[in-house]
Amino acid sequence: IRLYPPVPRGTPAFKEIYKQRTSTERVNNRILNDYKLHSMVIHTTKRYSFVTMIIGICLHLDARYKQIKLKSA
């Protein structure tokens, strides 16, 4: 932790940046661990990009499904 960060802690700007950072970390965690991107043996950039795009689509579908499920409950 920096002693004097560029954006002072406790300010609304810092809270907004931190919210974005934690949400990004959650998405990265889902991509790498839940969808097992680390354990896939992918050698080409094309294939890696394709698999990452498919995982992104699955994440959006999961979020949409969760939203619909909450509305119907």
Side-chain angles (χ1 to χ4, degrees):
I1 297 177
R2 294 181 182 174
L3 186 57
Y4 300 107
V7 179
R9 291 181 189 87
T11 62
F14 181 81
K15 289 179 183 179
E16 187 62 35
I17 290 169
Y18 195 74
K19 270 197 271 184
Q20 290 174 359
R21 181 174 171 244
T22 56
S23 64
T24 304
E25 293 296 326
R26 285 193 302 271
V27 170
N28 289 342
N29 181 44
R30 290 235 21 227
I31 290 172
L32 297 175
N33 298 322
D34 293 353
Y35 288 99
K36 308 287 187 210
L37 189 62
H38 273 315
S39 61
M40 292 182 190
V41 181
I42 302 173
H43 296 290
T44 63
T45 325
K46 249 187 207 181
R47 187 167 290 168
Y48 192 82
S49 298
F50 176 75
V51 170
T52 306
M53 181 183 65
I54 295 298
I55 290 172
I57 292 169
C58 289
L59 287 172
H60 284 284
L61 289 174
D62 287 344
R64 180 76 93 173
Y65 176 74
K66 185 177 181 181
Q67 195 177 41
I68 290 170
K69 193 175 172 182
L70 287 175
K71 284 184 182 178
S72 66

